[in-house]
Amino acid sequence: MLINMKEMLETADANGFAVGAFNATESSLFRCVAEEAEKQNAPAIVQAAPGEFQFATPEFYTYVRTRLANSPVPFVLHLDHGKSMEECMKAIQAGFTSVMFDGSALSYEENVRQTAEVVRLAHMAGVSVEGEIGTIGVMSNSDEGGVENVTYTKPEQVVDFVSRTGVDCLAIAIGTAHGIYPKGFVPKLQLELLQEIKKVSPVPLVLHGGSNNPDEEIRRACQIGIRKVNISSDFKYAFFRKVQEVLVQTGGFIPAKVLNPGIEAAKVVIAEKMELFGSVGKAACYR
């Protein structure tokens, strides 16, 4: 079942759980997400940043769209961190049911203006739009973008931004970063800030940089009101670490023998995340 983000997150919000959004850019990583979501009977979001979309090609996402549309589990196909109208339109043309326009590096007024224009065009095609105010941090091992100095989301801007742009969900900055945190680095989410934002937000809230944070902080964030959590580095790291281990141990080159152990290792991480977000078994909420 392929739906848009508005449908996905309104149901999650009504039932008090979050949905995992996993960056999948080739067939093995995609299989990890689709197959584990079906096993756990959990709704899920398959997403790609513009660079990942370009690498995988629109043709790959034609296959992804077909696979997801034929699944009994609800999925969203989402563009992560689109930085221009052109990037968002390419994803919509490829059959994505949701796009993010990330204008967080722009001035506030320009972010509002450009986001509203993306919303206007996307909604005409039945496609949902995620916006962002505040900025996400970035680690050196991430290619998903971000800034060195995080700008936290201001609760007083949330209602204004949503009402003027018409976004269907909102990515907020409460202290996360893209990538795997270096050894010894202990991130801390600003959960008090999240509580203030949740009180005023008219739309479901999104947490970027969800990999490598303490489980209990993520669990608590979902309990407070986060409804979409982006995961990329954690499950990819598990996949490639296992593939590398198999290659070193066996010197093999047959894809099934090398890649299947990586797929199984990544699925373990995905299942753990789904449990953490409270989405296991929640596909039933969409029927």
Side-chain angles (χ1 to χ4, degrees):
M1 184 193 320
L2 192 56
I3 62 178
N4 65 28
M5 192 73 76
K6 180 179 174 65
E7 297 172 271
M8 178 70 84
L9 298 191
E10 283 184 346
T11 297
D13 200 34
N15 290 276
F17 64 89
V19 182
F22 303 91
N23 289 63
T25 54
E26 57 80 53
S27 60
S28 294
L29 294 174
F30 170 63
R31 279 186 56 197
C32 297
V33 181
E35 292 174 8
E36 194 60 30
E38 289 170 345
K39 179 180 178 181
Q40 299 297 332
N41 197 33
I45 299 157
V46 174
Q47 62 183 24
E52 295 172 323
F53 175 83
Q54 184 176 358
F55 163 76
T57 75
E59 291 75 18
F60 171 71
Y61 287 103
T62 298
Y63 150 66
V64 168
R65 180 183 167 87
T66 300
R67 170 70 173 81
L68 298 182
N70 290 325
S71 174
V73 168
F75 286 97
V76 171
L77 182 56
H78 176 69
L79 179 72
D80 188 27
H81 288 290
K83 296 292 180 69
S84 68
M85 176 69 74
E86 180 183 8
E87 289 176 344
C88 292
M89 289 304 105
K90 284 182 178 179
I92 292 172
Q93 290 168 351
F96 281 49
T97 60
S98 176
V99 296
M100 177 192 187
F101 177 72
D102 179 4
S104 60
L106 304 172
S107 69
Y108 179 74
E109 288 299 322
E110 188 62 15
N111 187 6
V112 169
R113 187 189 72 79
Q114 292 193 33
T115 302
E117 183 62 10
V118 171
V119 169
R120 184 181 72 83
L121 294 176
H123 280 184
M124 290 173 64
V127 173
S128 300
V129 179
E130 175 184 329
E132 181 174 340
I133 49 177
T135 54
I136 309 299
V138 63
M139 295 297 165
S140 60
N141 50 34
S142 171
D143 60 359
E144 295 164 87
V147 298
E148 290 187 8
N149 298 308
V150 171
T151 301
Y152 293 100
T153 300
K154 298 176 181 178
E156 60 269 24
Q157 288 184 332
V158 170
V159 174
D160 180 72
F161 185 84
V162 172
S163 64
R164 291 172 63 190
T165 62
V167 293
D168 301 290
C169 57
L170 184 65
I172 59 172
I174 57 171
T176 55
H178 291 133
I180 296 290
Y181 298 121
K183 186 176 181 179
F185 182 89
V186 181
K188 181 172 176 57
L189 300 186
Q190 302 298 314
L191 296 177
E192 298 82 3
L193 175 59
L194 172 58
Q195 289 174 322
E196 293 303 307
I197 294 170
K198 174 61 178 174
K199 287 177 184 177
V200 300
S201 179
V203 295
L205 300 174
V206 177
L207 185 67
H208 284 242
S211 290
N212 211 214
N213 284 275
D215 283 355
E216 285 313 306
E217 283 192 348
I218 296 294
R219 192 187 304 276
R220 181 60 185 142
C222 296
Q223 291 170 347
I224 292 170
I226 289 294
R227 295 296 171 243
K228 171 179 179 267
V229 183
N230 285 17
I231 299 293
S232 180
S233 301
D234 275 355
F235 87 104
K236 289 176 181 175
Y237 180 74
F239 174 83
F240 285 107
R241 182 177 59 182
K242 178 55 72 172
V243 168
Q244 182 182 40
E245 179 183 308
V246 173
L247 286 170
V248 170
Q249 289 178 351
T250 70
F253 56 86
I254 298 173
K257 293 183 178 180
V258 174
L259 299 179
N260 276 337
I263 290 172
E264 294 308 313
K267 284 180 177 180
V268 171
V269 174
I270 291 168
E272 291 172 349
K273 298 298 182 182
M274 289 174 169
E275 187 281 326
L276 191 63
F277 306 153
S279 62
V280 173
K282 295 302 195 301
C285 297
Y286 296 84
R287 300 182 185 129

